[in-house]
Amino acid sequence: MDFTEENIKEYNIQFKEAQPEEIISWAIGHSKNAVVTTNFRPYEVAILNAVTQVRKDVPVVWCDTGYNTPQTYAHAEELIGTLDLNIKLYVPRQTAAHRDVVMGIPGIDDPRHAEFTEQVKLEPFKRAMAEIKPDVWFTNLRKGQTALRDTLDIFSLSRDGVLKVSPFYHWTDEQLDTYLGERNLPNEHKYFDPTKVLENRECGLHI
Ligand SMILES: Nc1ncnc2c1ncn2[C@@H]1O[C@H](COP(=O)(O)OS(=O)(=O)O)[C@@H](OP(=O)(O)O)[C@H]1O
């Protein structure tokens, strides 16, 4: 199905009050090749659980930067096992040990920061999307997280025409805590993204 800015506006009105499962079922029903992406940051379990409840074998792309916390790695292992995720792991072309000698983790004002972000996140992510070629892309973007995210909605179009679907777009942390509690799903807050120093920075995947 072809998605346009026009029909997406209507779907965003139509699905504003819909439950995530309803949104996901609709999107999967209109897709040939859906994907969910995750970095296993806090609350990612919600989207991973909701999507796999609707379709168990959806590919789950994880670009491991190599700099996650031990808690995030343990959390990822747990979710991959308990949700039986069809995980598609992508890693940078360079090892973190090699990069540590060449540039370490450059701060955001360091001119090498862009190259660092390209190596650990953007290139693996572009490689994943080029290989999988999804038409529907599930994420856990939510309103109020960043200025850019405030301009999005449940449905939005990526630069290359992929339908991005964020079924929890209108949800708050408190609502998600209740959702996870009711389903006995674990959450992990000890998370580190080396491409962002501040939580509300964008690094370029969505621009
Ligand atoms: N490392 C890695 N591997 C796989 N997928 C990833 C990764 N990093 C980000 N994402 C996905 O992209 C969504 C936006 O992430 P970011 O906040 O890092 O990007 S951006 O700064 O908004 O451009 C992010 O959305 P959320 O689901 O809300 O976390 C993910 O779906």
Side-chain angles (χ1 to χ4, degrees), residues 37-39 41 44 61-63 65 121 125 137-141 145 149 193 196 201-206:
T37 58
T38 187
N39 39 25
R41 71 178 179 150
E44 288 289 283
V61 168
W62 176 28
C63 303
T65 59
K121 197 159 167 185
F125 197 85
W137 169 15
F138 291 106
T139 76
N140 209 22
L141 302 184
Q145 289 177 318
R149 289 173 190 206
D193 181 339
K196 300 179 183 184
R201 267 193 89 231
E202 300 287 343
C203 78
L205 289 183
H206 281 278

Side-chain angles (χ1 to χ4, degrees), residues 64-201:
D64 173 11
T65 59
Y67 300 93
N68 282 297
T69 65
Q71 292 83 356
T72 297
Y73 284 117
H75 182 57
E77 282 302 313
E78 180 184 7
L79 295 187
I80 291 166
T82 54
L83 299 178
D84 193 19
L85 300 179
N86 179 14
I87 199 85
K88 305 290 178 195
L89 175 65
Y90 286 82
V91 292
R93 295 199 190 275
Q94 311 78 4
T95 62
H98 183 182
R99 196 176 307 100
D100 277 348
V101 173
V102 179
M103 65 170 101
I105 304 181
I108 51 168
D109 296 326
D110 189 316
R112 292 168 303 180
H113 184 75
E115 172 62 12
F116 176 84
T117 301
E118 180 67 24
Q119 285 188 10
V120 304
K121 197 159 167 185
L122 301 183
E123 186 282 325
F125 197 85
K126 282 183 250 176
R127 189 164 12 112
M129 293 309 225
E131 281 174 17
I132 296 175
K133 298 186 181 65
D135 55 358
V136 164
W137 169 15
F138 291 106
T139 76
N140 209 22
L141 302 184
R142 285 183 292 134
K143 198 178 175 152
Q145 289 177 318
T146 67
L148 174 69
R149 289 173 190 206
D150 282 349
T151 68
L152 303 176
D153 209 318
I154 296 173
F155 299 102
S156 59
L157 273 185
S158 77
R159 266 181 306 205
D160 39 11
V162 178
L163 181 69
K164 279 197 289 189
V165 185
S166 307
F168 293 94
Y169 184 76
H170 296 290
W171 289 47
T172 62
D173 281 2
E174 292 69 31
Q175 287 173 306
L176 276 182
D177 285 329
T178 305
Y179 180 92
L180 301 192
E182 284 168 356
R183 289 159 183 79
N184 209 15
L185 293 167
N187 202 4
E188 176 53 65
H189 286 277
K190 288 211 175 67
Y191 176 74
F192 173 63
D193 181 339
T195 69
K196 300 179 183 184
V197 175
L198 302 170
E199 220 179 297
N200 60 357
R201 267 193 89 231

Side-chain angles (χ1 to χ4, degrees), residues 8-18 153-155:
I8 281 175
K9 257 188 218 159
E10 283 166 30
Y11 298 135
N12 279 323
I13 296 168
Q14 186 183 331
F15 284 92
K16 183 153 189 211
E17 308 288 335
D153 209 318
I154 296 173
F155 299 102

